[in-house]
Amino acid sequence: MPETTQTFKNHTRLVPPFHFFVLPVLLINLVNTIRHAYLAPSISTGWVVVVAAALLMMALLVRNMALTVQDRVIRLEMRHRLMDVLPSDLKSRVNELTHRQLIALRFASDEEMPAIVREVLAGNLATQKAIKGRVKNWQGDYLRC
């Protein structure tokens, strides 16, 4: 477990090797290859621009795909967890929750989950930020990408 306790204020995550190395290097590479193509236009320098753009796009797509898989796992985990912690009147309504709501609910403790789910289903908590802000007993998610 990380040294700091996860809270609403610090729960977003940057992956330093990706956000501070891979993306900047690929972006600088694209800009540099565009500069080279501008200074010495040819089929070869044009192709290098295409390859540089493809590399940057690939990095962004790979990150997006990983986050999409993570969100799918969280939704599955949350549906399973909700079936364990919700009272029977709410269990039948779990499928009414959107994937964004399920993802935001993961930070709530089992004790406060039924009340928060009631508020979400009543339309009182419309955004992920509102749902996360309502959580009093924050359960950190330390295994995410």
Side-chain angles (χ1 to χ4, degrees):
M1 186 150 90
E3 295 172 13
T4 59
T5 302
Q6 194 180 101
T7 66
F8 175 69
K9 292 185 184 208
N10 70 3
H11 79 282
T12 58
R13 180 163 181 209
L14 289 176
V15 180
F18 180 77
H19 290 100
F20 301 122
F21 179 70
V22 172
L23 283 183
V25 166
L26 291 176
L27 185 59
I28 291 167
N29 182 57
L30 177 61
V31 171
N32 190 45
T33 57
I34 291 170
R35 184 180 67 85
H36 281 284
Y38 176 77
L39 294 174
S42 70
I43 291 175
S44 178
T45 56
W47 181 249
V48 173
V49 170
V50 170
V51 171
L55 287 172
L56 179 61
M57 184 174 291
M58 181 178 67
L60 295 171
L61 287 171
V62 165
R63 174 74 176 157
N64 187 301
M65 289 175 193
L67 293 176
T68 300
V69 170
Q70 175 181 284
D71 287 350
R72 291 183 70 156
V73 171
I74 291 169
R75 288 182 359 228
L76 178 63
E77 173 189 6
M78 283 306 301
R79 283 192 178 105
H80 184 73
R81 182 175 164 211
L82 289 172
M83 289 301 167
D84 288 342
V85 300
L86 292 180
S88 57
D89 65 313
L90 289 177
K91 285 181 184 180
S92 63
R93 299 190 63 195
V94 166
N95 288 330
E96 295 176 34
L97 297 167
T98 68
H99 70 279
R100 296 244 179 248
Q101 291 168 334
L102 286 168
I103 291 166
L105 283 167
R106 78 184 185 270
F107 298 109
S109 66
D110 289 351
E111 296 76 28
E112 64 187 331
M113 187 72 72
I116 296 175
V117 169
R118 281 188 203 284
E119 287 186 60
V120 170
L121 291 172
N124 299 333
L125 300 173
T127 65
Q128 286 184 303
K129 186 175 182 179
I131 294 168
K132 292 175 189 177
R134 171 68 173 74
V135 174
K136 301 292 183 242
N137 184 8
W138 192 270
Q139 303 299 303
D141 183 359
Y142 300 102
L143 300 175
R144 61 202 162 86
C145 298

